[in-house]
Amino acid sequence: ILPLISKSHHPRAVEAATKYFLTQAAASTLLLFSSMTNAWYTGQWDITQLTHPLSCLILTSAIAMKLGLAPFHFWFPEVLQGSPLTTGLLLSTAMKLPPLALLLMTSHSLNPNLLTCMAILSTALGGWMGLNQTQIRKILAFSSISHLGWMIIIISYDPKLTLLNFYLYALMTTTVFLVLNTNKTLKLSTLMTTWTKNPPLNAMLLLTLLSLAGLPPLTGFLPKWLIIQELSKQSMAPTAMVISLLSLLGLYFYLRLAYCATITLPPHTTNHMKQWHIHKPTNTSIAILTVASTMLLPMSP
């Protein structure tokens, strides 16, 4: 992924690639270190049978660093801001899968209270720090951090739900990134002028953003609904309430993006020219993804 990030040779892209390399290398080293500590204390090299609390703690922080989970999230918005949209899409979805697989394999031996605290912190920070951003890639990075919070909070109790949440999150994020890539949009001020370019596509972007925010009856509501239900079953209703309230912060900046994409017509004093209307047909994959990321929940029995 490093050549993909630094492909444009822009100083910011090179900086992003360096940051990505350093964090991932540090996290991998910590991962090896936790496995080694466990072997030192227990004589067991198998990472799925961690029993020593110190090695569990180091493993948790290593995976959190790889995923960009709070409080190890600082590199992610910077790296996403420095890379192009297609690479940003890979970073937000495909590159999250290996650390998540590791976490699923080892989740039974990690401390559930620590994971819950990190999840709530991620949801809070992802919401708060995304509020006053104007760069779309940074907003999507903070949205990713808060979604990770939802995935991690349930992993000790029902790992299948974490996977479901990840798949649906990847689906919706892919849609958003592909639409933005089609519109060539990188910040809110240019998003305001894209309505004239392709109205149907922007209308679908509005729905996908609301789905990412988790509004019923769209697809994004399904994992939140199931997670809240499972947390209530585990007699963690206060935790469910806190994380639901914190997701309102995310809803604010999704609404802001949706508002800029579809509802705002730019004032005439703007220094952006109105875009030409595009008559070429939209990519089929975008069409399929938008339908899936808005209609999966209403269509499922």
Side-chain angles (χ1 to χ4, degrees):
I1 195 99
L2 288 169
L4 286 176
I5 299 173
S6 56
K7 190 174 66 174
S8 63
H9 298 299
H10 189 279
R12 181 163 281 170
V14 177
E15 183 190 339
T18 315
K19 281 178 179 168
Y20 185 74
F21 171 71
L22 289 173
T23 11
Q24 296 298 325
S28 303
T29 316
L30 276 177
L31 207 66
L32 282 170
F33 184 59
S34 79
S35 157
M36 212 166 69
T37 316
N38 196 54
W40 177 267
Y41 281 112
T42 61
Q44 175 65 264
W45 276 101
D46 191 351
I47 201 170
T48 53
Q49 295 176 12
L50 290 180
T51 47
H52 196 267
L54 180 65
S55 53
C56 290
L57 185 67
I58 298 171
L59 183 82
T60 311
S61 53
I63 293 177
M65 203 183 280
K66 275 195 170 299
L67 281 170
L69 192 68
F72 304 101
H73 63 285
F74 294 103
W75 62 275
F76 189 55
E78 303 291 327
V79 170
L80 214 59
Q81 180 56 32
S83 42
L85 280 168
T86 38
T87 312
L89 167 62
L90 278 177
L91 281 172
S92 304
T93 54
M95 300 310 291
K96 294 261 191 274
L97 198 52
L100 204 65
L102 263 178
L103 196 56
L104 281 166
M105 279 160 52
T106 53
S107 60
H108 54 85
S109 56
L110 301 179
N111 182 351
N113 294 338
L114 178 67
L115 287 176
T116 305
C117 291
M118 287 171 87
I120 287 176
L121 189 64
S122 291
T123 318
L125 282 174
W128 266 312
M129 294 174 79
L131 288 181
N132 63 348
Q133 299 293 337
T134 55
Q135 298 287 341
I136 293 176
R137 283 169 295 185
K138 275 198 173 172
I139 292 179
L140 287 170
F142 287 120
S143 123
S144 174
I145 293 166
S146 63
H147 273 273
L148 273 170
W150 280 89
M151 288 174 218
I152 301 303
I153 202 162
I154 202 67
I155 199 161
S156 311
Y157 310 105
D158 195 347
K160 286 199 177 98
L161 264 186
T162 299
L163 268 183
L164 172 76
N165 195 344
F166 176 74
Y167 293 147
L168 292 180
Y169 162 74
L171 173 80
M172 295 180 288
T173 308
T174 308
T175 314
V176 171
F177 269 105
L178 288 178
V179 171
L180 293 173
N181 196 36
T182 310
N183 284 341
K184 299 281 177 283
T185 317
L186 293 176
K187 43 184 195 291
L188 287 179
S189 55
T190 45
L191 188 63
M192 285 181 183
T193 58
T194 52
W195 176 255
T196 49
K197 205 173 177 183
N198 200 332
L201 194 60
N202 273 32
M204 288 316 287
L205 178 63
L206 164 80
L207 286 176
T208 312
L209 285 166
L210 292 181
S211 182
L212 255 181
L215 289 186
L218 303 168
T219 307
F221 177 57
L222 177 65
K224 285 190 167 59
W225 183 19
L226 292 174
I227 286 171
I228 290 170
Q229 189 183 357
E230 183 62 35
L231 284 174
S232 308
K233 277 183 195 165
Q234 301 288 345
S235 64
M236 290 173 69
T239 316
M241 192 176 76
V242 168
I243 202 166
S244 311
L245 286 173
L246 287 171
S247 70
L248 285 176
L249 293 166
L251 174 65
Y252 174 79
F253 59 74
Y254 290 124
L255 279 176
R256 190 164 160 226
L257 274 173
Y259 183 79
C260 286
T262 51
I263 305 166
T264 321
L265 280 174
H268 297 298
T269 53
T270 179
N271 53 4
H272 289 288
M273 288 170 66
K274 279 243 170 67
Q275 310 278 349
W276 285 97
H277 202 305
I278 298 179
H279 283 295
K280 66 174 185 183
T282 304
N283 196 331
T284 321
S285 58
I286 295 184
I288 295 167
L289 283 167
T290 41
V291 171
S293 57
T294 49
M295 302 299 286
L296 271 185
L297 177 59
M299 290 193 305
S300 58

